[in-house]
Amino acid sequence: MYATNYHRASSVEEAVKLATDNGDAKFVSGGQTLIATMKQRLASPSDLIDLRHVAALKGIAVNGRSVRIGAAVTHAEVAASAELRAVCPALANLAGGIGDPHVRHLGTIGGSIANNDPAADYPSAMLALDATIVTDRREIAASDFFQGLFTTALEEGEMITAIRFEAPEKAGYAKFPNPASRYAMTGVFVARRGGAVRVAVTGAGADGVFRHEGLELALSGNWAPDAVGGVSIDPTNLMSDLHASSEYRANLVKVMAKRAVASTL
Amino acid sequence: MAKVTLTVNGRTVSGDCEDRTLLVHFIREKLGLTGTHVGCDTNQCGACVVHMDGKSVKSCSILAVQASGSSITTIEGLAQNGEMHPVQAAFKDNHGLQCGFCTPGMVMTAVDLINRHGNSLTEETVRAGLEGNICRCTGYHNIVKAVLSAAAEMGTARQAAE
Ligand SMILES: Cc1cc2nc3c(=O)[nH]c(=O)nc-3n(C[C@H](O)[C@H](O)[C@H](O)COP(=O)(O)OP(=O)(O)OC[C@H]3O[C@@H](n4cnc5c(N)ncnc54)[C@H](O)[C@@H]3O)c2cc1C
């Protein structure tokens, strides 16, 4: 790891100022991605601004069906939240399936979303839940936030403070984990509000997380695993790598969509 | 340079290190507690697992300065008065190790799992809970047996104490 300067922020304002004042600074939240990347010398921030001690980034609040999760809430906390589980068990289960217990004890929702790894779990949930990403300066709809591989709408020094969404009537997530890393080789998040269905796919798209119109249409007509059977998934824009070909991933999209819907019945 | 202060196995310790020093290196090289191992360079193998403020973490995935102010338990902190911790004893009794390299991380992970689930642990939960710990000798079977037997033992001990 290259040398770096560590700063511990105690408020959002202080953290943003530290990031702005120090040219090549990066926020570090759980560090489960960033520290690993620094160890491999694939990242070399001049300064690290630690967000783990910023109280305003903590906590899960559920008000009726409105959910707010602070950016520095860990995957383990999301998985263990009884309040969240009562309105949106799919998101709690998703968090409980990220990586391993040690990664879940440190890794955070804000870090995962900011990173926008094409195989990360949370981006699919944010997109399917039509979540709002709250930053220190504005609110961004999930559909505008995720902009391709490891790319988001965040500006230099902009910090995610929380995510918000209205819990849908039904939501489900299923992933086929890479057996070594546990990241999604394909993961599908489905959500239904009245007749409106959103289906978001992670781990499969060559440009990162995406919504699938064909699946949305089929499921809005019939919310059942069988409805997925007739949908064709075009492998053209899907990833192909040593883990799986794009054709294999296209099939996984179907299978995971079926399982995700089945988990809500 | 950073000044790092930690409570390690109940003792307050402090030392200077570079900001980029990983917690695992601080523990091994500054504190001389070499029971915590480094097995990979990619945050995957779990040989470096310690407890930070009561939760299992990979000490190679966090800087010592990030951990400053917290309370750390390492494998050296488990035995009390020369008596092995029940999880350590169960690993021995069930032949839950061969070469022993992954064992400190396995034991720390098992203690965390039992703390969180008590003796309601099932084989499935144990196997999922060991996801972040890699063992290249045992095939995991006896490790899982050891964790379940320790959980039962600790549950019984807890009931007897109540
Ligand atoms: C062994 C292993 C297995 C894993 N398996 C999975 C898996 O199955 N599924 C999955 O989804 N992920 C997985 N992960 C990744 C894990 O979920 C990370 O925790 C997550 O991607 C990043 O969150 P973090 O809090 O650790 O972020 P950090 O590593 O601290 O930061 C990541 C990036 O986000 C930026 N950032 C952090 N917080 C903010 C903020 N509030 N505002 C703006 N920018 C911010 C940082 O500057 C950095 O660029 C795994 C990681 C490991 C090590």
Side-chain angles (χ1 to χ4, degrees):
Chain A
M1 189 185 301
Y2 292 109
T4 189
N5 297 301
Y6 173 84
H7 310 266
R8 185 174 287 191
S10 52
S11 69
V12 171
E13 296 70 32
E14 186 192 359
V16 171
K17 183 168 188 324
L18 280 164
T20 315
D21 291 352
N22 294 286
D24 270 333
K26 263 191 179 294
F27 299 121
V28 62
S29 187
Q32 295 303 287
T33 295
L34 183 55
I35 300 293
T37 317
M38 289 172 68
K39 282 166 68 175
Q40 293 174 296
R41 295 191 165 184
L42 295 173
S44 51
S46 61
D47 296 79
L48 282 180
I49 323 295
D50 191 349
L51 305 182
R52 280 179 61 240
H53 304 270
V54 179
L57 303 179
K58 300 270 171 73
I60 299 176
V62 179
N63 221 318
R65 299 193 69 79
S66 303
V67 178
R68 180 192 181 281
I69 304 177
V73 172
T74 64
H75 309 331
E77 288 163 344
V78 172
S81 167
E83 275 179 292
L84 173 66
R85 196 168 281 281
V87 297
C88 191
L91 191 64
N93 290 336
L94 173 151
I98 294 177
D100 58 56
H102 325 306
V103 169
R104 295 196 289 272
H105 281 149
L106 287 175
T108 66
I109 187 167
S112 175
I113 291 168
N115 196 49
N116 194 17
D117 188 302
D121 295 295
Y122 272 127
S124 65
M126 297 299 101
L127 203 52
L129 292 169
D130 200 8
T132 302
I133 318 296
V134 185
T135 79
D136 63 296
R137 57 200 73 167
R138 58 183 170 146
E139 302 202 339
I140 310 169
S143 42
D144 298 323
F145 183 84
F146 300 107
Q147 303 188 341
L149 307 183
F150 300 101
T151 310
T152 68
L154 290 175
E155 296 164 356
E156 282 300 306
E158 183 170 10
M159 188 206 295
I160 302 176
T161 54
I163 65 98
R164 282 200 283 105
F165 65 92
E166 291 292 315
E169 286 144 41
K170 299 257 186 208
Y173 181 64
K175 81 162 156 174
F176 188 93
N178 178 309
S181 74
R182 316 314 290 172
Y183 273 97
M185 228 148 81
T186 289
V188 177
F189 200 106
V190 296
R192 192 186 85 184
R193 291 170 216 276
V197 170
R198 288 171 73 105
V199 176
V201 180
T202 189
D207 287 322
V209 66
F210 66 92
R211 282 173 64 187
H212 197 283
E213 273 177 37
L215 288 171
E216 291 182 353
L217 201 66
L219 287 171
S220 49
N222 176 17
W223 184 259
D226 283 351
V228 170
V231 180
S232 82
I233 313 285
D234 182 2
T236 315
N237 290 320
L238 299 190
M239 259 191 281
S240 188
D241 56 24
L242 79 160
H243 305 300
S245 66
S246 47
E247 289 77 14
Y248 184 71
R249 280 194 167 86
N251 187 56
L252 280 182
V253 170
K254 259 189 170 169
V255 177
M256 292 306 117
K258 282 186 190 175
R259 289 188 191 169
V261 175
S263 75
T264 71
L265 299 175
Chain B
M1 290 295 268
K3 183 161 182 77
V4 171
T5 303
L6 297 166
T7 306
V8 178
N9 301 331
R11 273 185 39 232
T12 304
V13 294
S14 54
D16 294 325
C17 66
E18 284 189 274
D19 288 15
R20 64 176 160 178
T21 304
L22 295 170
L23 177 61
V24 67
H25 293 134
F26 189 85
I27 290 171
R28 288 177 56 86
E29 289 156 26
K30 292 275 170 189
L31 307 180
L33 296 171
T34 54
T36 303
H37 290 169
V38 180
C40 72
D41 209 18
T42 51
N43 299 11
Q44 271 163 327
C45 80
C48 67
V49 168
V50 301
H51 296 181
M52 183 169 86
D53 294 329
K55 293 185 181 119
S56 64
V57 301
K58 293 176 189 162
S59 60
C60 79
S61 75
I62 180 165
L63 303 175
V65 268
Q66 280 176 282
S68 191
S70 69
S71 178
I72 303 286
T73 307
T74 70
I75 189 75
E76 289 90 345
L78 289 188
Q80 296 295 329
N81 311 316
E83 288 264 327
M84 276 195 279
H85 184 279
V87 174
Q88 291 173 304
F91 269 66
K92 179 168 177 272
D93 294 343
N94 291 281
H95 202 66
L97 61 148
Q98 286 180 31
C99 87
F101 193 84
C102 72
T103 311
M106 286 287 178
V107 169
M108 296 311 289
T109 300
V111 173
D112 174 80
L113 258 178
I114 295 169
N115 286 346
R116 281 186 290 124
H117 296 272
N119 53 356
S120 68
L121 269 180
T122 61
E123 177 180 339
E124 201 189 348
T125 324
V126 173
R127 288 191 183 273
L130 295 177
E131 196 61 67
N133 295 75
I134 295 174
C135 171
R136 295 291 80 153
C137 310
T138 61
Y140 301 97
H141 202 67
N142 287 349
I143 295 178
V144 175
K145 258 170 65 186
V147 180
L148 289 170
S149 123
E153 167 114 344
M154 288 165 72
T156 316
R158 226 184 341 254
Q159 270 169 4
E162 273 161 14

